[in-house]
Every structure is written in structure tokens, then in C-alpha cells.
Amino acid sequence: MCGIIGYVGPRQSQDILLSGLSRLEYRGYDSAGIAVIDGDGGLGMRKRAGKLAVLRDDLASTPLADGTTGIGHTRWATHGGPTDANAHPHLADDDKLAVIHNGIIENFAELKSELIGEGVTFRSETDTEVAAAMIGREYSRTGDLVSAFRAVVSRLEGAYTLLAMHKDHPGLVVGARRNSPLVIGLGEGENFLGSDVAAFVEHTRKALAIGQDEIVAITPEGVEVTDFSGAPVEVEAFEVTWDASAAEKGGWSSFMAKEVSEEPEAVANTVRGRIHEGRVEIPELDGMDEFLADIDRILVIACGTAAYAGMVGKYALETWTRVPVDVELAHEFRYRDPVLSPRTLVVSISQSGETMDTLMAVKYARSRGAKTLSICNTQGATIPRESDAIVYTHAGPEVAVASTKAFVAQITALYLLALHVGRVRGAIDPVAAVDAVTELEAIPGKIARVLETEQGRIEQLAHWMADTRSVLFLGRNVGYPIALEGALKLKELAYIHAEGFAAGELKHGPIALIEPGQPVFVVVPSPRGSGEMHKKVVSNIEEIRARGARVIAIAEEGDVAVLPAADEVLRIPLAAPLFEPLLAVVPLHIFAMGLAEAKGLDVDQPRNLAKSVTVE
Ligand code: M6R
């Protein structure tokens, strides 16, 4: 859950490392550090607790000596709190070797005792320093950094990406990965390593994906990849489809604000190229028709917001494919004995493609004979590479920790998948399929309308509610996961108590929470879909209002039935019921962002969180 970068080439590395780290900061931001081999063959290192800006200021006032080989790290603490001492890099071999690490070395305590027994002393509480000491010990025996890595990785358990450089080898950075991300960026006379392509995309869009259990050595002239036993391996090349400007704030107050504004585009780009003559055909699924026609169950696995996208997708998948669908949190799925068969399609959803819980669940499902399909937003990430099939979302880079545009893109991808599978199985009526495509194509314009007409009002509301201590969210049917998403966003961004409930569940307990003044957002289903469901939700509003709740309804334009019951009504354009979540979630994203901003909080980097959770 950290960001790492390595550079070798002709240029001064400090600026390259710092700007790469600024793009990786979403992965962790409680401390940062860099190490550089300088022109005189010395090894300089600086690391600081706090955000990258603290390190940047420190280096600006007391720079390290220039050098063209370097590594950099931005941390999300696992072993040892966020202090200067625990920040990376960690040094070994009489401070000639610098090591950075992402992941968790599970057997570090046992290895540390062994090293302490040999007289090694430690300056931090981290597992990383143990790996550094081991690499240093091996290196001092052979003088060969790659073989030192090879000897050490065979003893490490857990998940890790390690990068190291030694002052005796300027122009060389060595890395290893196991269950943790690492990609190579190929430049002209220079090469890069990064947790993801964001680390180097401003310098090159040519990338190579490194597989599991592989070791890479980069020099300015080339790249060598071997497996853990030393055998050379072929690596898969890919071109990054977005450029550095896509990952810049571009004048917005925060990445989150920019990404919410990109929700229409995220949907449009995910649909693009997947509709042919009015029907959904996902080219990536070519050749899978026979399997898809025969599946008897779909299991969706994901975490957090991605799991809520899965819950929305379930309604569309069941409606259009007539295949039973279960949605499960990846970390819960993995540690039981699930029933899977070769006719089960396991669909994983992940923006980053690196969420460890989801990755392990995918591997587990595969090992139990199921076919896996990854819905992912990040090219070359581990989860798609470990899956049988991939449907990329094209939301573009999402930097803010809170997932927004990726959420609507994930729902879109699930809808496309449902329409594709429904067609292959002959389960969806062709007229209904055409109607669904028409609806989907209209969604970007409708989201844009919500942003245009409601954003200002919602921000105002959030401002008025800045002192609110608790907010509840209710929804029914496809509105239920949206209520959960609204609550999650508010918790993670504004640090206040927020709960999402299925509206029908209210009378089974949660209504006891209602007291005078309690704000409750209610996602109201369209009266044009199921009039009965609409009436029930309006009754729920009346029930909570009678007990003093302050109701903020999200309802479609023209729904007048909500007016007498609600204190505020936020309007969304008319859409077929299955498509309403793509619109109803937008006010909730804006609200959470607005409330956090009103409280003066950092919406891009909320406390205790990281964008990509690469530890279990
Ligand atoms: O990268 P992923 O989509 O796999 O991430 C899953 C969750 O960690 C993520 O959605 C998280 O819940 C977000 N911070 C929510 O905004």
C-alpha cells in the first residue's frame, strides 16, 4: 500500500523521483523518502514523516547531491507508525545499499530474530529493514545485487515489491515482485520502475508488465527480467492509453472535484467501441460465447465502492441474463469454502486492479475451477493479468482516494456485460436490448445535467450541514447500493457517522435511530418503474418525517409525490429504473465532497486511507 519509483538514465533523478511520487501519493501519504547515487559515487538519502510536501520542502532547503540513479517511496504505514525512522528507504551494508518496499513480509519477526542473533541492529520497526539487512548480507558475500535478491526472495513470505540500489553500482536498480505491483517504463537511454504507470507516464508511455515472482534489473541501456530461479522470462509490452495531463488537477480544487466532473466522460468512454448496430458486443469477450451461453451462476467479488457497483450490477445481470448472481466482499469470499464449478463465472471489479483482497479471491476462484473475468480501470494491473478475461473500464486515471468516476464506469461495464451475456444466451428480448442501449448512451448527458443543475445547491446544503454528526441514507432495489455508497463516501471523506439502509429494513430496527433533526437522504425510485415501490418509499419518508427526520430526497424530475414529505428535493433526469443509480449517485458524491470541504478536510487524501489497498 505504498508507491515506489526507480530511475536510471542520464538525467538528475531527484526531480523525476519527486514528480513520480506526487503521482503515486494516492497509494500512501504518511511519509516519503528518496535515495540517490550521486556523481561521486556516494549514496544520499532523505526521508520524512508526513505528506510528500514535507520531504519536498526539506530537500528544497537542504538538497541531496545530484545523481542519475535513484529510488523513491511514499508510504502507508503497516509495520511501525508513520515516523522519520520508519519511512523508506532503509539502508544496509554499511549504508551503501538503499531499499524500498511495498507490501508486508509476513515472516519478518522470525527473520529479524535471526539477524539480531548475528549482531545486526535495526533503526526502525519495519519489516522492510529486515529485507534490506538480508539483501545487504547476501550482497556482501557475492558483490552481485541480482543474485543477492534471488537468495533473499526465496526466504520472504507474504506480498512485496522491493527495489534496491547499491552505491557501488550506479546505473542499476533491481526490483522483485510477489503479489504486489511493479511495472517497467521504457525510455530512450533511461528506464523506470513504478508501482504503476503513473510513476513515469510523463516521461514515457511504453511499458512492460512484470509477472509474479520475477526479478528485474534496469540500467540506462536495457532491462532484464528473470524468474526467482534466474531463468529469463518474456515480458508483456503495452502502451499507456492516457497521458500525464489526464492525471493532473487541471485547474480543479481537488482531484476528486475533477473526477466527479469526469463522470459523464467515464461512462461514455466505457461504452465507446462496444456497441455495434445498436447491440452490445464486447470485443474482449470474443471467443467466449460458448462458455457464456452455458454458465449457471455469476459471482461478483470486489471491495468497498467496487462491491457496491457489483450490487447495482446484480439487478441488471439477473434481469438481462436470467443467470443467478451473488455479490460478495472479496475478503469474505476467500476464507470460506464457496461452492464453485466450471460453469461459474466469477466477475471481479477493481479500479486499481491491485486490491489484495480481490486479487487473492480471484486466484482462489481460479484454483477452484471457476472462470474469472476482471472489470478493471488500470491497464497492466495484476488482477486483469491473473484473470481469464478482461473488460477494462475507461474512466481514465483516478487519483483521489474516494472512488467516483470509476464507480459509474464499473456500473456501466457491468451493464454492458449483462447485455452482452444476455444476447449470447438469447435471454434478453431484442427490443428491450435496444432500449437499454439507447438508455445507456443517454446517461453521460444526463449525468452532465445533474452536475450542471444541482451541484451548486448540493454544495450549499453541504456547507449548511458542516456541523452534522450523523447522516443516514435509504434506498430500495437499485437505490439500496447507492445508499451504501453515499454513506461510505461520507465516512471516508468527512469522518462522520453515516449508515446506508435498505428502506424496507427501516422498520426492522434502524428507525430507532431517527430523532428530531436527523438528516436522512432517501433515493426515491421512479414512480414510472414500479409505482408500488415508489409509494412504499414515500411512505418510509413519511414515517421518518413523523419522527422528526430532516429528509433530503433524490427524486426524478416531475415526481411531485415527494414534495410534501421531503425538506429538500434533489432532482435527477428521467431514466429507466435500472439506470437511475448512475444518476442518483452523483448528488451523493458531490455532497460528501462538499461536506468534507466545508469542514476544511483534504478530500483527495483522507486520513488513514490509501487509494490502492495492496495488503490483506
Ligand atoms: O481499487 P479497487 O476498486 O479494488 O478498490 C476497492 C476499494 O478499496 C475502494 O473502492 C474504496 O472503497 C474507495 N476508497 C471508496 O471510495
Side-chain angles (χ1 to χ4, degrees):
M1 201 119 135
C2 305
I4 60 185
I5 177 169
Y7 174 76
V8 285
R11 294 190 278 164
Q12 297 307 328
S13 59
Q14 286 185 57
D15 288 347
I16 293 172
L17 298 176
L18 287 175
S19 88
L21 288 180
S22 70
R23 290 184 204 285
L24 292 177
E25 213 184 358
Y26 72 86
R27 300 179 63 87
Y29 37 81
D30 58 32
S31 50
I34 61 168
V36 171
I37 300 177
D38 65 45
D40 299 328
L43 191 147
M45 190 268 284
R46 186 74 46 77
K47 52 186 188 174
R48 288 286 172 264
K51 292 196 173 168
L52 184 62
V54 178
L55 175 71
R56 206 186 269 282
D57 290 350
D58 191 306
L59 286 165
S61 61
T62 347
L64 290 177
D66 282 340
T68 58
T69 304
I71 55 178
H73 187 270
T74 177
R75 179 168 188 248
W76 186 85
T78 51
H79 286 84
T83 60
D84 285 355
N86 289 332
H88 302 205
H90 291 279
L91 302 181
D93 193 24
D94 294 330
D95 294 352
K96 290 182 283 188
L97 173 83
V99 175
I100 54 176
H101 165 222
N102 171 34
I104 291 183
I105 297 166
E106 283 165 3
N107 58 337
F108 91 105
E110 160 198 333
L111 297 169
K112 191 169 182 174
S113 316
E114 176 186 313
L115 289 158
I116 290 173
E118 291 174 16
V120 178
T121 52
F122 289 91
R123 291 173 273 197
S124 77
E125 302 153 275
T126 64
D127 49 350
T128 310
E129 199 182 0
V130 173
M134 290 175 74
I135 296 170
R137 181 176 63 180
E138 290 300 326
Y139 176 84
S140 60
R141 285 179 190 153
T142 61
D144 179 341
L145 197 51
V146 173
S147 63
F149 255 75
R150 204 169 294 135
V152 169
V153 289
S154 65
R155 297 209 52 207
L156 303 180
E157 287 165 20
Y160 52 83
T161 301
L162 286 163
L163 294 195
M165 57 180 202
H166 195 285
K167 82 189 254 298
D168 295 345
H169 300 280
L172 172 71
V173 173
V174 179
R177 77 168 287 209
R178 166 169 282 177
N179 294 332
S180 201
L182 184 63
V183 282
I184 305 168
L186 295 177
E188 298 287 328
E190 60 183 2
N191 288 306
F192 306 80
L193 291 170
S195 297
D196 70 41
V197 296
F200 49 74
V201 71
E202 67 186 299
H203 309 292
T204 179
R205 286 163 71 176
K206 283 196 200 136
L208 298 175
I210 307 172
Q212 295 299 350
D213 293 358
E214 288 176 2
I215 292 176
V216 55
I218 59 165
T219 60
E221 296 78 37
V223 164
E224 263 181 40
V225 184
T226 54
D227 64 18
F228 278 3
S229 70
V233 289
E234 283 288 311
V235 276
E236 188 192 318
F238 65 97
E239 184 90 13
V240 183
T241 54
W242 47 274
D243 64 16
S245 65
E248 304 286 357
K249 264 193 234 171
W252 292 88
S253 58
S254 63
F255 279 108
M256 185 175 177
K258 173 178 176 256
E259 287 158 10
V260 169
S261 81
E262 289 169 346
E263 290 188 1
E265 224 180 299
V267 173
N269 289 342
T270 300
V271 171
R272 188 161 297 126
R274 288 163 171 169
I275 294 178
H276 303 278
E277 294 168 8
R279 58 185 220 164
V280 173
E281 284 170 23
I282 303 179
E284 296 92 316
L285 303 183
D286 275 358
M288 283 185 75
D289 284 10
E290 207 179 317
F291 167 72
L292 293 173
D294 194 44
I295 53 176
D296 63 1
R297 183 174 170 227
I298 297 174
L299 176 63
V300 180
I301 47 176
C303 300
T305 283
Y308 299 149
M311 287 170 72
V312 175
K314 172 183 163 94
Y315 292 88
L317 281 162
E318 287 192 337
T319 305
W320 292 329
T321 67
R322 304 312 302 149
V323 177
V325 179
D326 295 303
V327 183
E328 202 162 333
L329 293 169
H331 35 90
E332 288 295 319
F333 163 76
R334 162 130 146 82
Y335 291 103
R336 57 186 186 80
D337 190 10
V339 179
L340 296 169
S341 84
R343 293 177 68 196
T344 309
L345 172 66
V346 173
V347 177
S348 70
I349 310 171
S350 175
Q351 187 287 131
S352 60
E354 300 294 349
T355 298
M356 185 57 77
D357 291 315
T358 310
L359 171 63
M360 296 318 267
V362 168
K363 286 186 169 184
Y364 182 61
R366 261 186 123 178
S367 73
R368 300 283 300 265
K371 267 244 182 329
T372 54
L373 182 151
S374 154
I375 292 182
C376 182
N377 196 43
T378 310
Q379 285 173 280
T382 311
I383 295 173
R385 298 183 64 233
E386 294 282 335
S387 302
D388 298 297
I390 312 168
V391 176
Y392 278 116
T393 48
H394 296 296
E398 192 179 65
V399 178
V401 163
S403 192
T404 54
K405 63 174 179 172
F407 177 69
V408 291
Q410 286 161 349
I411 295 175
T412 305
L414 285 160
Y415 281 26
L416 291 167
L417 178 67
L419 291 166
H420 180 100
V421 177
R423 176 180 56 74
V424 168
R425 296 171 69 84
I428 181 168
D429 167 59
V431 178
V434 170
D435 289 350
V437 165
T438 311
E439 284 283 350
L440 200 50
E441 286 181 318
I443 289 294
K446 292 182 185 179
I447 298 180
R449 197 151 97 223
V450 179
L451 290 167
E452 226 171 84
T453 58
E454 301 296 285
Q455 182 145 11
R457 221 154 69 76
I458 299 167
E459 283 168 354
Q460 180 92 78
L461 185 68
H463 197 78
W464 291 331
M465 289 173 68
D467 293 332
T468 304
R469 309 266 307 263
S470 155
V471 182
L472 305 180
F473 294 81
L474 298 180
R476 191 163 188 146
N477 194 262
V478 280
Y480 169 44
I482 297 305
L484 297 175
E485 165 68 359
L488 175 63
K489 282 293 167 292
L490 205 53
K491 281 182 236 192
E492 78 176 317
L493 294 171
Y495 318 151
I496 60 176
H497 170 249
E499 293 291 329
F501 299 106
E505 194 65 9
L506 203 57
K507 56 193 173 299
H508 299 287
I511 199 162
L513 290 170
I514 305 295
E515 54 186 18
Q518 169 68 54
V520 185
F521 277 80
V522 185
V523 181
V524 184
S526 163
R528 298 165 307 114
S530 157
E532 207 191 332
M533 205 161 63
H534 175 263
K535 272 195 210 124
K536 291 215 159 88
V537 172
V538 173
S539 301
N540 292 143
I541 297 181
E542 273 154 7
E543 283 154 16
I544 55 174
R545 194 91 187 294
R547 288 159 180 82
R550 178 159 179 239
V551 174
I552 303 132
I554 300 173
E556 74 173 20
E557 289 162 359
D559 178 356
V560 288
V562 294
L563 287 175
D567 296 273
E568 303 279 347
V569 183
L570 305 173
R571 292 296 184 184
I572 56 172
L574 272 55
L578 274 177
F579 293 86
E580 283 169 6
L582 288 163
L583 306 176
V585 76
V586 181
L588 299 182
H589 284 166
I590 301 169
F591 177 73
M593 177 169 68
L595 192 66
E597 277 169 353
K599 290 179 77 176
L601 300 172
D602 181 343
V603 295
D604 286 339
Q605 297 180 336
R607 71 182 179 202
N608 303 339
L609 292 171
K611 179 75 179 158
S612 173
V613 185
T614 56
V615 290
E616 270 189 279

